[in-house]
Structures are given as structure tokens and as C-alpha cells.
Amino acid sequence: MKPVQRFTTLDSFRGICALLVVFFHLHVVGTFIQLPFFRRDEVLLNFFFVLSGFVLAHTYGMKPNLSFKSFVVSRVFRLYPLHLVMLAFFILFETARWLAWKNGFNLNNVPFTGTFALKEILPNLLLVQAWTTYTETMSFNYPSWTISIEFYIYMLFGALCMLSMRNRFLLFASVSVVAFILIFSENEPLVDRAMLGLSCFFAGNITYVVYLLIRDKGPLKPWLMTVLECAMMYATYWIVMNDFEYRSPIGSLAFCALVLLFAFEGGLVSTLLKTGVFMLLGKLSYSIYMTHAA
């Protein structure tokens, strides 16, 4: 069986964005992470959803006879083990705080309340904490809200992949377009984060289709690819640094262009991102993201 192509540059981008999320959540006065860029880079979370859509379309979306059962098993074993370990860690930590509180230690807040309430454990176990207004999205290991959104989007993606090739990609496009229209019109039927995930993930699927359509047209000159890559990096920086209407959905569309461009790995920026330290960040991206809050 032919091995599935890896997009090394995009893996490196995933690692960089995971590290930037760490910097965003970390507050150390007088250090570089207090610079404006690191205080405003939350929009880069949209990139994770776009990239996931692109990669899953590449890995599974082109299979004419996808086994839904095998797909679900692969996604569960990809996401759940570390999620459960981190959830257990936070529950144990809160238990230790509760024991200290019972023994007379003054704490900032009562243990097992608010985002650490006992009633939030089951939604976290089921990965539904970010899907409803009745649960605390940022409860326990708060970065896992993106995993909550992605997990059920994966299930929808897998179900759509049971359709014919033509119909599945028509529905991928339909979900993304409708989600973006609802976001821009401010008529969102689901919570903001769910709409964000749906719009970005399925836009990533369509970005992969565009990649396939132009992949064999012949490569651009390396110097031109370098210019385009540098321009795309600056555009990303500009989106992070500036406030404007619909910044998040417009940023999502820009990240589709970024993923498409760097999938070709044709410029000097891509060459740099395929070096050791960036590749290592890419391999560790999920663990960095899921463990940094602890």
C-alpha cells in the first residue's frame, strides 16, 4: 500500500501554533511573551480547524469505501487517551485542593465549583463541554474545548464520507458555506465555537480539493513561491495584530490560503520549516497543546 503523503511544513505550522497558544495563556511580566503579538494570537486557533479539515480530507476523504467503524476507532484512539489522562490529572488536583480546604487552608475559591464543578466531569468525559450553553466550555483542562468541537465534527465528516465522492464534497462545501453565511449574518443556530469549527474544518476539506485541482499544473518558480510565502506570513501577522469587523471568519479564510500555499512546500520558508526543531514541534503539537494548561 502506498504510504499517505505527509505535509511536513503544515505539521511544523501546527507545532508553532500550539506553542503560540502556550505563550498566549502564559503571563510572565517583563518577558517577550508580553509583546502585543503574543497577547492577540487567539485567532490562530482557527488554523487548527482548517488544517484538520485539510489533513483528514487528504487521509480519508478520497477513500471510495471508507469504513466508518475503523475511522471512529482511529479518531477515538487519537484524541481520547491524552484527554482522559489530563482530565484525571485536573480532577486529582482539585481533590487535593478540596482536602486542603477541608483541613482549614484558605484558598482563592471553593474546590469543585465553577469551571471545576462536579457536574462538569460527565460533559468532559463525553467531550460535549463546548457544544452547549448548559456546560462550562472552559472546564477542567480548558484547551480541550477544541477537541470537544473537533471530535463530533470528525463524526459528521466520517458519516459524509460514506456517500459518493461527488456528494460528499458537495456537502463539505455546503456545510462550510452555510456556516460562514450564518456567522457573517450573525444568525448562528449553534454556540460560537461550534460554528467556528464547522466553518473552518469543512473549508479545510474544500481547500484540499483546490490543492488537488492545481497540484499537477506544474510548480511555480522557487523564488515566486518564496515571495508568496513571505507575503502570506505577513498577512497572517497583520490579521493577528489588527482589529476589524469579522476578524475571526476572515482570518479563517486567510488560513485556508496559507494551508493551500504551504502544502506545496515550494519556497524558502517551507525549507526552513522542514528543519529539525520545527519538525519536532509538529510531532509534539498535540501533547504540547493538551498538557500546557496543567
Side-chain angles (χ1 to χ4, degrees):
M1 182 182 295
K2 185 179 178 180
V4 176
Q5 174 191 358
R6 288 195 66 87
F7 295 94
T8 306
T9 299
L10 296 179
D11 278 347
S12 295
F13 263 117
R14 193 198 304 269
I16 292 169
C17 286
L19 195 60
L20 289 174
V21 171
V22 176
F23 292 159
F24 176 75
H25 289 144
L26 187 64
H27 297 275
V28 182
V29 176
T31 62
F32 72 94
I33 57 176
Q34 294 300 110
L35 293 172
F37 179 83
F38 299 106
R39 297 297 96 220
R40 299 175 50 83
D41 62 11
E42 73 283 354
V43 71
L44 294 177
L45 285 171
N46 302 29
F47 172 79
F48 286 120
F49 290 118
V50 171
L51 182 57
S52 290
F54 183 90
V55 171
L56 262 71
H58 172 65
T59 308
Y60 298 102
M62 303 307 295
K63 290 185 177 181
N65 299 300
L66 178 68
S67 167
F68 184 72
K69 178 181 178 181
S70 297
F71 173 77
V72 171
V73 169
S74 71
R75 292 299 91 195
V76 167
F77 279 95
R78 171 76 176 98
L79 298 181
Y80 250 98
L82 186 54
H83 168 63
L84 293 178
V85 167
M86 297 311 301
L87 178 59
F89 174 87
F90 275 90
I91 293 172
L92 288 172
F93 180 73
E94 201 67 5
T95 301
R97 293 181 70 247
W98 180 81
L99 291 172
W101 178 71
K102 291 292 287 186
N103 283 281
F105 288 91
N106 291 321
L107 303 175
N108 291 332
N109 60 300
V110 178
F112 287 114
T113 60
T115 55
F116 297 99
L118 288 172
K119 67 183 179 66
E120 300 300 332
I121 294 177
L122 182 59
N124 274 268
L125 282 172
L126 299 176
L127 276 176
V128 297
Q129 72 270 26
W131 281 93
T132 79
T133 57
Y134 304 103
T135 52
E136 287 284 352
T137 298
M138 309 298 277
S139 54
F140 290 98
N141 187 26
Y142 57 84
S144 67
W145 76 262
T146 60
I147 309 306
S148 166
I149 296 297
E150 281 198 358
F151 182 75
Y152 289 100
I153 289 178
Y154 289 167
M155 298 305 105
L156 175 59
F157 169 84
L160 294 179
C161 283
M162 304 301 292
L163 303 174
S164 68
M165 201 71 67
R166 180 176 180 271
N167 288 338
R168 73 179 67 167
F169 280 101
L170 281 175
L171 283 171
F172 294 164
S174 298
V175 172
S176 181
V177 169
V178 169
F180 272 118
I181 289 173
L182 291 172
I183 290 171
F184 278 104
S185 65
E186 299 181 355
N187 293 307
E188 301 168 62
L190 301 174
V191 295
D192 291 348
R193 289 178 170 87
M195 295 299 295
L196 173 69
L198 286 166
S199 60
C200 292
F201 179 88
F202 288 103
N205 291 165
I206 300 309
T207 302
Y208 182 71
V209 176
V210 175
Y211 168 78
L212 291 180
L213 290 173
I214 64 177
R215 180 180 58 182
D216 299 323
K217 299 293 184 182
L220 297 177
K221 299 289 185 181
W223 69 266
L224 180 55
M225 288 297 291
T226 299
V227 170
L228 292 174
E229 288 178 354
C230 290
M232 195 69 247
M233 296 293 284
Y234 177 76
T236 302
Y237 173 81
W238 189 90
I239 289 168
V240 170
M241 293 299 293
N242 288 275
D243 290 316
F244 52 92
E245 193 173 12
Y246 303 117
R247 174 174 174 255
S248 179
I250 290 173
S252 302
L253 295 172
F255 297 144
C256 290
L258 184 148
V259 167
L260 177 62
L261 176 64
F262 281 93
F264 289 97
E265 302 182 338
L268 291 179
V269 179
S270 289
T271 300
L272 175 63
L273 290 172
K274 288 192 286 185
T275 55
V277 64
F278 293 112
M279 291 176 65
L280 179 61
L281 275 177
K283 291 177 181 178
L284 298 177
S285 59
Y286 183 59
S287 58
I288 290 170
Y289 180 78
M290 288 294 288
T291 62
H292 78 270

